């Protein structure tokens, strides 16, 4: 199983090493500035040869510094547009959409992968072959 939220968090930490990145809601609220990463939806489209095109929709919410919220969100949006374009060694970031909701910058996006569903059918474990040779003598 791939942990895409973990990959997103690592990519954000690569771009912003000092950033705080959450993947769960915090009872006491989020420290500001910080990021919160969550999954929105997943889609699947069948393709040839039992392959699937899977779309994983995520959002990254940026909680800006309260002292300078608007300029901070504008700066962060530009940084994310320029620098958060790829999950390293995995997949590109697509269909990016920004909005401001409740004083936080929300970036919604898509991570698309091609996948083969796990095949759980029983497989032959070994071949027992007792062909034409026994004890080194040909029969």
């Amino acid at each position: 199983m791939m942990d895409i939220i973990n990959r997103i968090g690592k990519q954000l930490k690569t771009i912003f090493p000092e950033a705080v990145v959450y993947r769960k809601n915090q009872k006491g609220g989020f420290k500001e500035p910080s990021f919160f990463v969550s999954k929105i939806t997943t889609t699947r489209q069948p393709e040839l040869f039992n392959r699937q095109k899977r779309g994983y929709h995520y959002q990254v919410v940026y909680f800006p510094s309260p002292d300078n919220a608007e300029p901070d969100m504008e700066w962060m949006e530009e940084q994310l547009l320029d620098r958060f374009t790829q999950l390293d060694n995995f997949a590109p970031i697509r269909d990016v959409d920004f909005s401001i909701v409740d004083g936080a910058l929300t970036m919604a996006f898509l991570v698309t992968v091609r996948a083969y569903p796990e095949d759980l059918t029983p497989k032959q474990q070994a071949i027992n072959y007792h062909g034409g040779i026994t004890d080194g003598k040909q029969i």
Side-chain angles (χ1 to χ4, degrees):
M1 177 73 186
M2 59 189 139
D3 186 354
I4 298 175
I5 288 181
N6 191 41
R7 289 176 185 269
I8 293 167
K10 285 182 179 179
Q11 194 68 41
L12 288 169
K13 291 291 275 181
T14 298
I15 299 168
F16 309 105
E18 303 298 318
V20 176
V21 180
Y22 299 101
R23 67 181 294 161
K24 293 182 181 175
N25 276 319
Q26 304 298 304
K27 287 183 182 179
F30 296 98
K31 177 183 169 188
E32 297 164 333
S34 64
F35 293 99
F36 172 64
V37 181
S38 65
K39 188 175 189 178
I40 301 171
T41 61
T42 302
T43 59
R44 179 191 71 191
Q45 296 174 351
E47 293 186 339
L48 296 174
F49 309 111
N50 203 31
R51 285 177 45 172
Q52 296 176 352
K53 180 180 176 184
R54 295 181 185 175
Y56 298 96
H57 301 258
Y58 290 92
Q59 68 178 3
V60 170
V61 180
Y62 176 67
F63 299 100
S65 174
D67 301 338
N68 205 17
E70 261 127 54
D72 190 17
M73 286 189 288
E74 288 176 13
W75 179 83
M76 183 55 69
E77 181 176 338
E78 291 302 318
Q79 293 300 306
L80 291 169
L81 283 167
D82 290 345
R83 302 171 67 193
F84 188 73
T85 59
Q86 176 88 20
L87 296 179
D88 288 344
N89 301 314
F90 187 67
I93 304 296
R94 300 185 186 275
D95 299 340
V96 176
D97 182 49
F98 285 93
S99 60
I100 295 177
V101 179
D102 296 329
L105 178 67
T106 300
M107 175 188 180
F109 58 92
L110 171 67
V111 176
T112 302
V113 298
R114 299 231 186 284
Y116 286 99
E118 185 178 2
D119 185 359
L120 300 174
T121 56
K123 305 288 186 272
Q124 184 173 347
Q125 298 300 313
I127 297 175
N128 293 324
Y129 177 71
H130 299 288
I133 300 179
T134 305
D135 295 333
K137 297 179 186 174
Q138 216 166 28
I139 299 178

